[in-house]
Amino acid sequence: MKLLKLVPDHTNIHFLKWRVPFYAISLLLIAASWGLVLTKGLNLGVDFVGGQMIRVTFVGKPDAPVASMRDEIAALGYGDPIIQRFGQPNEASIRMKLPEGSDERPDLANTMSQRITSALKTAHPEVRIDGVDSVSGKVSGELFQTGLLSLLFAMIAISIYIWVRFEWQFGVGGLFALFHDVSLTLGMFALTQLEFDLNIVAAILTIIGYSLNDTIVIYDRIRENLKKFRKMPLPELLDLSVNETLARTVMTSLTVLIALIPLLLFGPASLFGLTAAITLGIFVGTYSSIYMAAPLLIWFGVRSDSFVPTDTGRDQAERTARGEA
């Protein structure tokens, strides 16, 4: 069987030739993304703004009627519910934002849960209410703070890892690439006003992991080539390294997209935001590892002989004594 090759052998694409315009575009996109986040804001979900979760089981039925439940609850006027199956197919969870003014009047939240459970029991006599949990504004605020800190610490820890494994220039380059990816993802959520909940925090952590993996593969090849081609100009060496890893990059991205696109088009609504975030992350993560992480090494003053150990007089004397020089 003939092997499938999407990228020809020995490609010679001059990626670094366009590094300046691509940097300008990326900086504009980062600025626009943070401008949207600061002016338009994120559509924070129940996890971060507080709300209620109602767990139900449809006794004697094979599946929970998610579509009809969504219509019945939306008709009550409390907004669109987030309904997810969990455990058995006939079990589901319903998440709702708390009504406005519920911080001062807790009875509004109780009234909402009673109306929802009554509507479900009327439409589905076989439904069993397994529990009603409330997320207060204080707890949701702590969840939001914890989510942001987890993203920040993940990026710092990854940068330190790259710094220790390679050199500080690589660590800063990797950190900027991650900042680029996270900024554009947040900008997309601010622009589209898709719900931003804990699932999206998990998606961003996934994007950070994917982008890091791609960046380290390219950095590893750059390090190997720095040892092999000590007189090659750095832009040419970076182009060579990206071209040598291009087949791996394309195949990895393509296989992930094959799994994501059907889920994006036909998957449940509750997973749309998570799938959209990871799909965007595949593109921006691949782009940033080529056009952000690698070219920064030039501006940080990395040269082909930057990491070659300097030869001291004592080393020279020892080699002379051994007859090696």
Side-chain angles (χ1 to χ4, degrees):
M1 181 178 177
K2 190 175 181 180
L3 294 177
L4 174 65
K5 281 191 176 181
L6 296 178
V7 179
D9 294 330
H10 310 300
T11 57
N12 186 25
I13 303 172
H14 300 290
F15 292 101
L16 276 290
K17 179 181 179 182
W18 303 101
R19 64 182 184 274
V20 173
F22 276 123
Y23 253 98
I25 293 172
S26 292
L27 290 175
L28 285 174
L29 288 175
I30 291 173
S33 296
W34 282 106
L36 285 170
V37 171
L38 295 176
T39 56
K40 201 170 181 180
L42 297 170
N43 178 21
L44 300 177
V46 174
D47 300 330
F48 297 141
V49 296
Q52 283 191 336
M53 177 182 288
I54 302 173
R55 300 187 306 278
V56 297
T57 301
F58 289 84
V59 180
K61 280 201 165 186
D63 296 303
V66 174
S68 62
M69 288 167 61
R70 182 172 287 111
D71 294 338
E72 291 150 11
I73 296 173
L76 298 176
Y78 290 111
D80 293 330
I82 300 172
I83 302 178
Q84 292 177 305
R85 287 193 175 95
F86 73 98
Q88 300 299 318
N90 63 341
E91 297 176 349
S93 68
I94 305 159
R95 289 189 296 168
M96 297 289 298
K97 291 182 180 179
L98 290 174
E100 291 187 9
S102 58
D103 287 341
E104 293 78 19
R105 294 184 54 193
D107 59 298
L108 292 177
N110 294 331
T111 302
M112 181 181 75
S113 62
Q114 289 170 2
R115 290 190 64 194
I116 292 173
T117 53
S118 297
L120 289 176
K121 287 179 179 177
T122 301
H124 309 279
E126 72 280 8
V127 72
R128 184 184 70 208
I129 308 300
D130 294 329
V132 178
D133 299 320
S134 294
V135 180
S136 69
K138 181 180 178 182
V139 172
S140 59
E142 291 174 353
L143 285 174
F144 185 65
Q145 186 179 14
T146 306
L148 288 181
L149 287 176
S150 67
L151 292 177
L152 180 63
F153 287 141
M155 292 175 67
I156 293 174
I158 287 168
S159 302
I160 292 174
Y161 165 72
I162 298 177
W163 187 332
V164 171
R165 181 170 173 178
F166 298 95
E167 296 290 339
W168 71 266
Q169 296 96 331
F170 292 80
V172 177
L175 178 62
F176 186 79
L178 295 181
F179 177 73
H180 168 273
D181 301 342
V182 173
S183 298
L184 266 58
T185 305
L186 292 177
M188 182 194 77
F189 276 88
L191 178 66
T192 61
Q193 289 295 295
L194 286 171
E195 188 171 87
F196 191 91
D197 55 18
L198 284 176
N199 286 336
I200 308 306
V201 174
I204 293 177
L205 290 172
T206 303
I207 292 169
I208 289 175
Y210 178 86
S211 178
L212 170 71
N213 183 51
D214 211 30
T215 300
I216 284 183
V217 168
I218 294 176
Y219 275 178
D220 251 335
R221 187 56 58 92
I222 291 172
R223 184 171 59 178
E224 291 173 8
N225 287 337
L226 282 171
K227 296 175 182 175
K228 289 167 61 179
F229 308 106
R230 298 182 178 182
K231 294 184 179 179
M232 181 181 289
L234 190 61
E236 292 181 24
L237 189 142
L238 297 180
D239 271 338
L240 173 66
S241 304
V242 174
N243 277 286
E244 288 178 345
T245 56
L246 189 60
R248 178 258 174 210
T249 301
V250 171
M251 287 301 295
T252 303
S253 302
L254 188 63
T255 49
V256 177
L257 285 174
I258 288 174
L260 284 173
I261 289 178
L263 193 60
L264 189 67
L265 296 177
F266 308 110
S270 57
L271 292 180
F272 183 80
L274 179 134
T275 313
I278 297 178
T279 304
L280 175 70
I282 298 300
F283 288 102
V284 298
T286 303
Y287 164 80
S288 67
S289 61
I290 296 174
Y291 283 106
M292 297 290 108
L296 271 179
L297 300 180
I298 299 174
W299 283 311
F300 287 150
V302 174
R303 302 190 310 273
S304 300
D305 59 349
S306 288
F307 309 120
V308 177
T310 55
D311 201 9
T312 63
R314 185 176 178 178
D315 295 333
Q316 181 68 29
E318 289 178 352
R319 282 203 302 276
T320 302
R322 292 196 301 268
E324 298 175 355

